[in-house]
Amino acid sequence: MIFNVLNTCPEYPDRALWPDNGVPWKAWDSHVLSLCIPGFVLCFVFLALGIKFRHNKKVQNIILFLTGLFLITFELYKQISFNRIRGFNIGNGYAWTIFPWQICSIPMFIAIFMPLIKKDYLRNILIAYMGVYAMIGGFVALFINQEGLFSWHDIGIYIHTITWHLVLMMLGFFSIGILSIGKGKYTRNLKVVLITYGMILIFSVIAQLINFFVPYIYGVDDCRAYDTNMWYISMWYPTCVFILKDIQALSPGINGYGWGLAYFLYMIGLGLADIIVILIYFGIYRCFSKLKFILKVKRLNMNK
């Protein structure tokens, strides 16, 4: 039987580092727009930087490292504040539910460690991953599930969450600029799909190992393990992902088939999202190439 996580562990919103006093942000309100408008502009700045420094690994490393460092600094705030909300302090416990191994967290590790990656093939794989899944993570959170980002009781975490997903999109644009993802023949783009999808499968296995062992070690009713739900799908706790939550509920619990079926469909969905994103990149490149060709033809006609 799946564990009921409702009302298991108390929360203390007044202990947040920057309490929202019971007034959470709303999707696309003035606070969000004040962050998103300049953030969207910076996305295109990062695209231009990726194109400009496509062959300059040193500058790429600096930009990626500083971006990763920025994300880690923001993440420390979230970790400290939310653990305070849960009643934890350094030394007396940790809320594993916010361990940074979500789809949206992985680009932080890639960016911060990129200067240590010397082999071109491995660098290109990791950059391609960010070009696809950092973009997907940022887009989905901001444009599809933004209303679900404001349940933290902390204004600082709201700022963190919006900024984080904007930076993911910036990393996505930067990666597109470096690798020209979408450019070339369909075989090149198919290779990008296969590589990035293979990586997401590997990272998902790590997520599910965390999901299994943390509640197994501490106990599913322990507040430290409460709702350990990397990638928002766990064999111990119900998922909040639409459609998948109904599938998991068909046969809930560690011994049921609901989680396995939901997880399988989740991975299929991520693979389809990968293909769609690459097709969008491919289509954009084709459109720009055609436009460039038309402009060249018109210029030739004018010079006759």
Side-chain angles (χ1 to χ4, degrees):
M1 183 175 181
I2 200 163
F3 183 68
N4 184 3
V5 301
L6 296 177
N7 302 318
T8 298
C9 299
E11 292 188 349
Y12 309 93
D14 58 310
R15 296 185 182 179
L17 294 177
W18 190 355
D20 67 4
N21 297 318
V23 184
W25 287 10
K26 303 294 183 182
W28 299 114
D29 65 11
S30 58
H31 305 99
V32 175
L33 289 174
S34 67
L35 294 171
C36 284
I37 292 174
F40 293 147
V41 173
L42 284 174
C43 284
F44 292 99
V45 172
F46 268 71
L47 175 62
L49 289 172
I51 295 171
K52 181 176 181 179
F53 298 110
R54 180 174 295 160
H55 304 294
N56 192 328
K57 293 179 187 176
K58 184 176 181 180
V59 175
Q60 291 175 24
N61 287 341
I62 292 172
I63 292 173
L64 289 170
F65 178 79
L66 292 177
T67 304
L69 190 63
F70 174 79
L71 290 175
I72 285 177
T73 303
F74 251 21
E75 183 64 20
L76 286 174
Y77 176 93
K78 174 184 174 181
Q79 295 288 327
I80 293 170
S81 186
F82 186 76
N83 273 281
R84 285 170 56 90
I85 292 171
R86 277 287 180 86
F88 294 130
N89 291 308
I90 297 175
N92 75 332
Y94 174 74
W96 277 88
T97 185
I98 59 166
F99 183 75
W101 194 259
Q102 302 290 359
I103 292 177
C104 297
S105 306
I106 295 170
M108 171 183 69
F109 297 107
I110 294 176
I112 199 74
F113 288 113
M114 187 58 72
L116 302 178
I117 309 298
K118 304 301 181 182
K119 294 184 178 180
D120 289 342
Y121 180 71
L122 183 55
R123 284 178 62 89
N124 290 342
I125 287 176
L126 294 172
I127 292 171
Y129 175 87
M130 291 194 294
V132 175
Y133 286 102
M135 190 71 80
I136 290 175
F139 182 87
V140 169
L142 292 174
F143 291 96
I144 298 178
N145 188 44
Q146 190 179 125
E147 196 65 50
L149 301 179
F150 306 121
S151 60
W152 298 95
H153 311 295
D154 185 295
I155 293 174
I157 298 182
Y158 300 157
I159 296 172
H160 160 282
T161 303
I162 295 298
T163 304
W164 186 283
H165 292 96
L166 285 169
V167 172
L168 286 186
M169 293 184 69
M170 294 175 202
L171 285 172
F173 276 104
F174 187 64
S175 300
I176 294 170
I178 293 174
L179 295 182
S180 298
I181 300 174
K183 187 177 181 180
K185 296 181 180 180
Y186 73 93
T187 51
R188 177 182 188 265
N189 292 290
L190 177 61
K191 185 177 180 180
V192 174
V193 170
L194 294 176
I195 289 172
T196 54
Y197 187 58
M199 291 186 67
I200 203 74
L201 291 177
I202 293 171
F203 292 147
S204 75
V205 170
I206 297 173
Q208 295 313 310
L209 288 173
I210 296 170
N211 285 344
F212 176 78
F213 281 108
V214 171
Y216 181 80
I217 292 170
Y218 290 110
V220 292
D221 57 346
D222 190 290
C223 286
R224 292 168 294 183
Y226 167 90
D227 203 22
T228 299
N229 217 359
M230 302 299 104
W231 295 35
Y232 302 105
I233 184 164
S234 167
M235 64 288 293
W236 298 103
Y237 306 105
T239 180
C240 61
V241 179
F242 68 100
I243 299 178
L244 296 184
K245 62 183 179 182
D246 297 323
I247 294 172
Q248 187 180 21
L250 294 174
S251 180
I254 189 69
N255 296 317
Y257 66 81
W259 167 81
L261 179 58
Y263 174 68
F264 174 76
L265 293 175
Y266 191 8
M267 293 302 103
I268 294 295
L270 287 174
L272 291 174
D274 195 329
I275 294 171
I276 290 170
V277 169
I278 295 300
L279 285 174
I280 291 172
Y281 293 162
F282 181 69
I284 291 173
Y285 263 102
R286 290 296 295 270
C287 288
F288 274 103
S289 297
K290 187 174 182 180
L291 178 61
K292 187 177 181 180
F293 175 76
I294 292 172
L295 291 174
K296 283 184 177 180
V297 171
K298 286 184 176 181
R299 195 175 298 116
L300 288 171
N301 290 334
M302 290 174 64
N303 291 332
K304 282 184 177 181

